[in-house]
Amino acid sequence: MERNSETNPQDLFAQARGAVFETWQIGISRLPVWIFPPEGRPLRPRLVVYGSLDREVVGVVLSDDEEETESVLAEKALRSAVCDWCSKPARIEVADSGLAAALADLLAGMEIAVGLGSDFSLLRAAEREIIAKTSQAAEISPPGLLSGDVTVAQIAAFIQATGDFLTAAPWRLLGSRDLLHVEAPEDIDPELRWVSLVRAGKHLVVSFYRSGEEWDAIDHGDLVADEGTRWFLPMISRWQLSANDTDLWDRFDLPCHGEDALCPVPVCLSDGRAIRPDPHQLAFLEGLLRTLAASREQDVDTGRWDKEVATFLGPRHFTLGFPDLLELAEDLASPKEGIDPDDWIGDLLDEAQEVGGRQAVLLARHVLALQPDSAEAYLELADATPDPAQALEHYSRALDLANEGLDQVDFGFEEIEEDDDLDADQDPTTPLCAHAGLAESLCRLGRREEAVAHLFEAYRLDPGDLMGHQDRLACLLVELGRDSEAQALLDGNDGLGGPAYTLALIAFRREGDSPAARRALRTAYRNNSHIPSALLPNSLPEPEDESFFNIEHIEAADYAGVATAAWRGTSGALTWLAERNEDLGLAARARSMRPGKQAKGQKKKKKKKRRR
């Protein structure tokens, strides 16, 4: 057994006094809460409870060090107990044979009996009290997956299907307006018949509806999403599971998927109650995921297709369809009389921009059939494809075509109004968006040096930085170690939230926790106090904010989206930010309480969506 090399077990009971007669107990468990360090993986603290049956008292040791062995934790508990009670036990009881072996090795030659106990009510009561104080999640946790009378083996098969689904390409092709109809199997709950996939950051939620009309009513705000009976299949990080599901994953060592450790947690919300799927429902969900994982882009684009897949309860036949896609294809095939072709192409591109997903792909392909040199159509195809290599080809083609038609066109945004009647291929924002798309695709392919050139060009075409390329470019330069170029790009912009934090990061990279780095961070915090919480969403609380809506929240989220990689790539930077954040918040509150001082408003950078 491994021991703590910095301590001497022989001096464990040096403070003990009096006769040796007591029976102690030790228990080691994990709290149902996660700790999110600024750097590294989340972890659950281990709770070590020790008690004296004779004294009827307990003590606690918490550890968030994953490297500490049971032997080390037990020794810490014993040292705390001796310090508390100044005594030495005659016997120590534990509930786990592994912990008993660790203690026997630790206490070898000390004439202390170690064995398995039967009644741990003293420790269990202490554990319940501590858990209640540290986490409300244990009290309000919904029923776990096993509550649906499914087996662990079936859950494991379902999780495996989830992994296949997450790694397959077709589901990534779908947009928020692509509503999937499950035509077969027919023996499924009506609430599971219609499906949409919604991506929220790195997470994915599969939502189910009774009908297309219900989905449309919820989408337009005519129906509250949590009314009635609704099924959801969220795929969330391992450390966001409820307490009961956390215990399930722990107890049976169930797998997670991807670098974000995603786990599927299907649930039905009905009249305020959370219901988990029964074996038949879970088999349907498994089959649906396997069907989508096995589907090809060609299948999806037909608008209706069939698959036979295996499930834990046997093979199932699925028929899936996109009614809106089929209706759109039929409409496009109808002859159009009395409509100017140029006007129709513009309308098709506007509609593609609005609907996204597979409908946008169909519209863009139809435009290319009418006008093969449409840069805007290639831009739509690029935006809709999840494959960065394929997107790169589409963005490159869009840029080539746009440059051919825009040689004599002014690139300025300011003169473009919403009602301007511009030909799609004369839109001066097209090359800008193509450069930005090329940069993103190159980054996803690991070709970040090439991406820099395209971001520089996008920034040049948008001199007012209305589309926020400066933050992305500066952070990418930092990621590549080109700090001086990033500094030159941002000089004079420390009055804005994002650039000021990047300048603080550059100062930290150069000198560590220096006075200059602290000054830069204080300046950044005054500009936008929400950015530290956005960079460390689980580690830091949001600053107090009296307003219901604050544009700083949006700016913070935007900055975190492009800057997190640069901060994570700088060893110690996020830890430094977390450590300094409390001091910054205290200083800000102290300034706000000074008499005769008025808060200075910061001029906010205006942003505008790309016009397409």
Side-chain angles (χ1 to χ4, degrees):
M1 294 289 179
E2 181 183 345
R3 291 179 179 168
N4 190 335
S5 60
E6 297 181 358
T7 65
N8 176 18
Q10 298 301 321
D11 70 358
L12 268 172
F13 302 99
Q15 302 179 53
R17 302 287 185 271
V20 178
F21 66 91
E22 296 180 17
T23 297
W24 292 359
Q25 292 182 335
I26 298 177
I28 300 177
S29 60
R30 288 190 182 274
L31 288 176
V33 294
W34 288 89
I35 299 295
F36 295 87
E39 298 176 70
R41 301 284 287 182
L43 53 92
R44 287 173 67 196
R46 282 182 289 180
L47 171 65
V48 187
V49 181
Y50 56 90
S52 169
L53 297 182
D54 304 273
R55 299 169 184 264
E56 295 187 348
V57 293
V58 295
V60 175
V61 173
L62 282 175
S63 172
D64 57 7
D65 186 351
E66 291 289 329
E67 300 299 320
E68 288 186 325
T69 64
E70 286 193 336
S71 178
V72 171
L73 294 174
E75 183 178 340
K76 285 186 172 182
L78 289 174
R79 291 188 180 278
S80 294
V82 173
C83 181
D84 292 343
W85 308 324
C86 294
S87 63
K88 177 180 178 181
R91 174 179 172 80
I92 297 178
E93 294 180 349
V94 296
D96 177 69
S97 58
L99 179 56
L103 274 170
D105 181 69
L106 178 68
L107 302 175
M110 296 190 190
E111 298 181 352
I112 299 176
V114 177
L116 299 177
S118 58
D119 182 5
F120 291 89
S121 56
L122 182 67
L123 298 191
R124 298 294 177 261
E127 287 178 355
R128 286 193 296 271
E129 183 178 352
I130 294 166
I131 288 172
K133 289 180 178 179
T134 58
S135 173
Q136 296 180 353
E139 300 175 7
I140 62 175
S141 176
L145 275 175
L146 286 174
S147 66
D149 292 328
V150 298
T151 64
V152 174
Q154 184 176 8
I155 292 174
F158 169 66
I159 294 174
Q160 182 185 40
T162 304
D164 295 340
F165 167 79
L166 289 171
T167 55
W171 71 266
R172 302 175 190 273
L173 302 169
L174 308 182
S176 60
R177 303 294 301 174
D178 289 320
L179 186 64
L180 183 67
H181 183 210
V182 183
E183 300 178 22
E186 298 179 354
D187 59 337
I188 61 171
D189 299 348
E191 294 87 359
L192 295 168
R193 186 68 66 184
W194 295 80
V195 187
S196 73
L197 281 71
V198 178
R199 276 164 280 186
K202 296 180 179 180
H203 297 165
L204 178 73
V205 178
V206 184
S207 299
F208 297 85
Y209 307 86
R210 282 181 172 271
S211 64
E213 290 74 20
E214 181 187 54
W215 171 79
D216 196 57
I218 292 175
D219 187 56
H220 287 86
D222 299 328
L223 184 66
V224 179
D226 56 3
E227 288 183 352
T229 299
R230 292 285 312 285
W231 277 95
F232 299 92
L233 174 51
M235 299 178 191
I236 60 177
S237 299
R238 169 74 176 80
W239 41 86
Q240 292 180 315
L241 293 175
S242 65
N244 288 322
D245 284 335
T246 293
D247 290 340
L248 173 67
W249 255 261
D250 278 351
R251 197 184 332 151
F252 299 102
D253 195 24
L254 296 175
C256 306
H257 302 294
E259 63 178 12
D260 297 303
L262 296 182
C263 306
V265 285
V267 63
C268 176
L269 302 181
S270 178
D271 298 325
R273 296 181 303 124
I275 304 169
R276 309 312 290 268
D278 61 27
H280 180 73
Q281 292 162 337
L282 192 62
F284 164 76
L285 295 174
E286 177 193 351
L288 177 63
L289 295 180
R290 292 194 186 280
T291 299
L292 290 170
S295 301
R296 302 168 300 169
E297 185 175 358
Q298 297 91 321
D299 296 324
V300 176
D301 283 343
T302 63
R304 187 176 185 275
W305 71 106
D306 298 87
K307 292 287 178 185
E308 187 90 11
V309 296
T311 74
F312 185 80
L313 298 184
R316 300 296 300 272
H317 178 84
F318 279 79
T319 301
L320 305 180
F322 288 109
D324 289 342
L325 187 64
L326 291 171
E327 183 180 344
L328 177 61
E330 184 177 347
D331 180 64
L332 292 175
S334 302
K336 300 294 184 291
E337 299 179 0
I339 299 178
D340 185 276
D342 290 336
D343 290 341
W344 190 36
I345 287 175
D347 291 342
L348 293 176
L349 290 171
D350 288 342
E351 186 178 357
Q353 180 71 20
E354 179 181 350
V355 298
R358 301 320 294 167
Q359 296 180 67
V361 171
L362 177 61
L363 290 163
R365 288 173 177 167
H366 195 75
V367 168
L368 288 174
L370 299 171
Q371 186 176 324
D373 60 350
S374 172
E376 280 289 297
Y378 278 106
L379 212 54
E380 291 297 339
L381 290 177
D383 289 344
T385 180
D387 178 18
Q390 186 177 1
L392 190 68
E393 294 181 9
H394 290 323
Y395 282 125
S396 297
R397 182 61 177 150
L399 182 61
D400 290 342
L401 290 170
N403 286 339
E404 290 175 7
L406 290 172
D407 288 341
Q408 305 301 321
V409 178
D410 182 8
F411 289 106
F413 274 87
E414 289 75 5
E415 297 133 11
I416 302 175
E417 302 295 337
E418 287 296 321
D419 296 330
D420 284 351
D421 186 16
L422 294 176
D423 180 79
D425 286 327
Q426 295 297 316
D427 188 344
T429 67
T430 300
L432 189 158
C433 296
H435 279 295
L438 283 166
E440 181 182 354
S441 300
L442 288 166
C443 283
R444 291 173 61 194
L445 291 169
R447 297 158 58 180
R448 295 183 298 172
E449 290 284 359
E450 296 176 63
V452 168
H454 288 285
L455 276 177
F456 264 118
E457 187 62 15
Y459 184 54
R460 183 188 72 81
L461 294 176
D462 181 13
D465 197 27
L466 299 177
M467 297 173 68
H469 296 300
Q470 185 189 59
D471 280 340
R472 180 69 188 99
L473 176 55
C475 290
L476 182 56
L477 289 170
V478 171
E479 289 178 50
L480 295 171
R482 296 162 62 174
D483 294 15
S484 297
E485 293 176 71
Q487 176 97 42
L489 180 71
L490 298 176
D491 272 346
N493 283 337
D494 60 352
L496 299 173
Y501 277 93
T502 304
L503 288 169
L505 174 62
I506 294 171
F508 176 81
R509 287 165 61 88
R510 288 175 175 168
E511 305 176 21
D513 186 23
S514 64
R518 292 188 180 192
R519 282 195 301 271
L521 189 57
R522 283 195 296 270
T523 298
Y525 193 86
R526 285 195 293 269
N527 294 335
N528 190 327
S529 60
H530 296 273
I531 284 179
S533 299
L535 289 169
L536 294 163
N538 297 302
S539 302
L540 295 178
E542 278 281 350
E544 295 180 6
D545 186 0
E546 296 180 357
S547 63
F548 177 76
F549 175 79
N550 192 325
I551 194 172
E552 289 185 354
H553 287 278
I554 300 174
E555 291 183 343
D558 289 344
Y559 178 74
V562 300
T564 299
W567 281 85
R568 285 181 179 172
T570 303
S571 178
L574 288 174
T575 300
W576 172 68
L577 180 64
E579 291 173 348
R580 299 296 305 156
N581 182 70
E582 184 176 357
D583 295 338
L584 292 167
L586 291 173
R589 285 193 289 275
R591 284 196 302 272
S592 67
M593 295 172 65
R594 291 176 187 171
K597 292 286 184 180
Q598 225 176 2
K600 294 182 179 180
Q602 295 290 336
K603 185 179 179 181
K604 301 300 177 186
K605 178 172 62 174
K606 296 180 180 179
K607 294 188 178 181
K608 180 177 179 180
K609 293 182 179 179
R610 73 184 190 191
R611 181 190 181 280
R612 285 181 37 220

